Amino acid sequence: MNLRNALRSAMLVALLTALSADAHAIDPNLRPTDRDSIIPQPLDPLFPSNNPTGIGNPGVFDPFAPANQNPLDGFGSTTQPNELRVAPSVIPAPGTPQEQPRWRLGIYSMDTGTGVQIVRVSPNSPASTAGLEPDDLIVTVSGYQVGLIENHRHELGQAFNQYATTEGYVNLLVQDHRTGNLLNMPVTLEGRFQRIEGTVSFRDTNTRLPRNAQVQVDLFEQIRPGVTIPIVTKRISDFSKIPIPFSVDYDPQIIDPRRQYTVQASIVADNNTYYSTRNPYQVITAGYPRTVDMSLYSTVTSNNSNSQQVGYATNRDEQLDQIVQWFRDYLNRDIRYNERQVWSSSIDRGESLDDVRAQLLGGPEFYTKSNQDDETYIRRLFEVVAGRQPTQREVDAWLTRLDAQNGLRTNLAREFLTQISQQR
């Protein structure tokens, strides 16, 4: 450990030089009270740490938990004679308890009157990478004190929100529990959220939008076939640039890899919808990307601003957009430039969207994604077109039809689409 101590001592000299007149107010030889008797417990969301019943471990702050899971008021606020004392000139972080923490350090910790004491370090976390250890004491975040200050809790997570750069970089002042030395430690935090981003565009410029119109982007989770729930909604008022850029942050911990997630967009004002996407865009799971460019179409006619248009893909551009969406839905990828040119020529020659759809569903790429297995292929047809899993009886019936079609999947897909459309 001699090398560790030597490195930390060198960093301490640089830190104390930077702190100048205020540096002498912090005594690096004093240590916080020994708290080895505190055993960290996994945080139970049913019993948050501010539970007045005392269930759980109220003294341990988990930065992975929501910001409103606070320790009991006054816990650890009594200053012992041998505790580290911090000069009052260190400015406390102006916490914003309502804001959910956006960054992770990867520790279980306890607030004290002299800082935030680390109880446990999560493996493979930013704290572990930085070399932080249990019993180390975080005194400040980018120069602002954290912990219990005059009986007010200044949360570590909120300090990260306030002072971390857009890349998650912060500068921590840490007291080494081994030597008592103060160390200046740069740390790059881990983002709590992931992001879906892209653009929203709308083609029809004849509809006059109210001044208070907003773009609404919704992230949905499909909890079962035909049933979705919104989990994140983002509204945008800036129409100065079209396509309109958007970003939606979501917590990856709520994502179930077994389920489907889609985004849709609309332009709304005064409870009226003026534009909307015609089909959902699948994202996140099953290999779908977190970047999507959405096209919106007018939902009103020129005669009545509240009447819904009937049908879809009424012009060439809309038909091409529909094909682009099918590539994403069925083949899990974006259409290539040369493919777009081919399908554009097909549309110009009068080929219908039903034929295009049948060719995609009956093509070799869709069959390859079905593991080149006929039964898996039938099941995928039901999944992507009907939005449900078939019964074994349905699978057997369509396998018989495929055999009757001499294995021509395009013909089978065309027949399948006709059957589905008649049932709706």
Side-chain angles (χ1 to χ4, degrees):
M1 300 302 295
N2 291 334
L3 178 59
R4 173 189 173 97
N5 291 337
L7 290 173
R8 290 196 166 191
S9 297
M11 294 175 67
L12 173 63
V13 172
L15 170 64
L16 294 180
T17 301
L19 290 176
S20 63
D22 287 338
H24 70 277
I26 302 176
D27 186 352
N29 296 316
L30 297 181
R31 294 191 54 198
T33 302
D34 183 11
R35 303 188 186 272
D36 290 340
S37 60
I38 297 178
I39 302 174
Q41 301 176 5
L43 195 65
D44 188 343
L46 298 179
F47 302 105
S49 55
N50 61 350
N51 190 335
T53 64
I55 298 175
N57 188 3
V60 176
F61 168 56
D62 179 8
F64 291 84
N68 61 351
Q69 294 183 339
N70 301 329
L72 292 175
D73 291 340
F75 184 88
S77 61
T78 302
T79 303
Q80 302 296 329
N82 64 336
E83 285 186 333
L84 175 68
R85 297 182 182 274
V86 181
S89 60
V90 179
I91 304 172
T96 53
Q98 297 80 8
E99 185 179 4
Q100 186 175 3
R102 299 191 301 271
W103 301 101
R104 290 189 180 98
L105 179 58
I107 61 172
Y108 289 85
S109 61
M110 178 177 61
D111 291 325
T112 74
T114 53
V116 175
Q117 185 175 7
I118 298 175
V119 177
R120 188 172 73 202
V121 176
S122 300
N124 302 318
S125 65
S128 174
T129 302
L132 292 171
E133 298 178 348
D135 290 330
D136 284 345
L137 188 75
I138 301 174
V139 182
T140 67
V141 174
S142 297
Y144 293 87
Q145 188 176 347
V146 291
L148 294 172
I149 306 170
E150 297 179 355
N151 293 326
H152 293 284
R153 182 172 179 238
H154 293 257
E155 298 178 359
L156 195 63
Q158 296 303 324
F160 291 157
N161 282 3
Q162 187 78 15
Y163 304 112
T165 67
T166 55
E167 294 78 23
Y169 175 87
V170 291
N171 202 35
L172 305 181
L173 179 63
V174 179
Q175 186 191 35
D176 183 1
H177 76 282
R178 298 175 181 271
T179 65
N181 293 336
L182 287 172
L183 305 174
N184 190 24
M185 302 186 69
V187 176
T188 300
L189 304 170
E190 179 182 41
R192 176 184 292 271
F193 296 101
Q194 292 183 358
R195 174 169 292 181
I196 299 170
E197 56 188 1
T199 61
V200 173
S201 60
F202 54 101
R203 300 181 180 278
D204 182 5
T205 59
N206 295 325
T207 302
R208 295 180 61 86
L209 294 174
R211 290 181 176 272
N212 60 339
Q214 293 180 315
V215 174
Q216 178 174 312
V217 180
D218 294 289
L219 173 63
F220 291 91
E221 177 180 347
Q222 180 178 304
I223 58 176
R224 60 178 180 269
V227 179
T228 60
I229 57 172
I231 57 177
V232 181
T233 296
K234 177 72 174 289
R235 292 207 173 197
I236 305 166
S237 301
D238 185 5
F239 288 77
S240 60
K241 182 179 179 181
I242 297 177
I244 302 167
F246 76 89
S247 63
V248 176
D249 291 335
Y250 67 94
D251 188 344
Q253 294 187 14
I254 69 173
I255 298 300
D256 185 339
R258 300 166 299 180
R259 292 184 173 177
Q260 293 183 1
Y261 296 84
T262 59
V263 289
Q264 299 184 52
S266 56
I267 297 180
V268 297
D270 303 322
N271 296 322
N272 293 322
T273 300
Y274 292 84
Y275 293 86
S276 67
T277 49
R278 291 217 167 94
N279 296 282
Y281 293 73
Q282 193 165 344
V283 292
I284 304 175
T285 57
Y288 284 92
R290 288 186 283 122
T291 301
V292 60
D293 298 316
M294 295 186 283
S295 296
L296 276 61
Y297 300 98
S298 177
T299 61
V300 299
T301 64
S302 57
N303 296 326
N304 186 349
S305 62
N306 292 319
S307 60
Q308 299 289 325
Q309 283 186 334
V310 179
Y312 70 97
T314 56
N315 59 50
R316 182 176 179 276
D317 287 337
E318 292 182 6
Q319 290 175 330
L320 284 174
D321 286 339
Q322 179 65 76
I323 295 172
V324 168
Q325 184 60 45
W326 283 336
F327 265 80
R328 293 170 177 156
D329 291 341
Y330 303 156
L331 307 182
N332 298 341
R333 66 174 176 86
D334 288 328
I335 191 172
R336 301 185 182 97
Y337 176 78
N338 61 329
E339 292 170 326
R340 188 183 180 96
Q341 296 298 106
V342 169
W343 290 116
S344 177
S345 298
S346 297
I347 291 173
D348 290 341
R349 292 195 303 269
E351 189 164 9
S352 70
L353 280 182
D354 288 337
D355 285 337
V356 173
R357 196 180 187 190
Q359 290 180 58
L360 290 176
L361 291 171
E365 188 170 352
F366 186 83
Y367 189 64
T368 299
K369 290 185 177 297
S370 305
N371 298 324
Q372 296 184 337
D373 176 78
D374 289 344
E375 181 170 342
T376 304
Y377 170 74
I378 297 299
R379 292 186 180 278
R380 283 201 72 215
L381 277 180
F382 271 89
E383 182 180 341
V384 301
V385 177
R388 65 176 178 87
Q389 291 296 324
T391 64
Q392 188 60 49
R393 181 181 178 184
E394 290 174 317
V395 172
D396 293 340
W398 283 103
L399 285 173
T400 301
R401 290 299 304 151
L402 181 60
D403 185 61
Q405 296 280 4
N406 296 319
L408 297 176
R409 292 184 302 275
T410 300
N411 290 347
L412 181 83
R414 188 176 290 107
E415 183 179 345
F416 183 84
L417 291 172
T418 301
Q419 292 268 4
I420 292 296
S421 64
Q422 290 175 351
Q423 293 177 8
R424 291 180 175 175

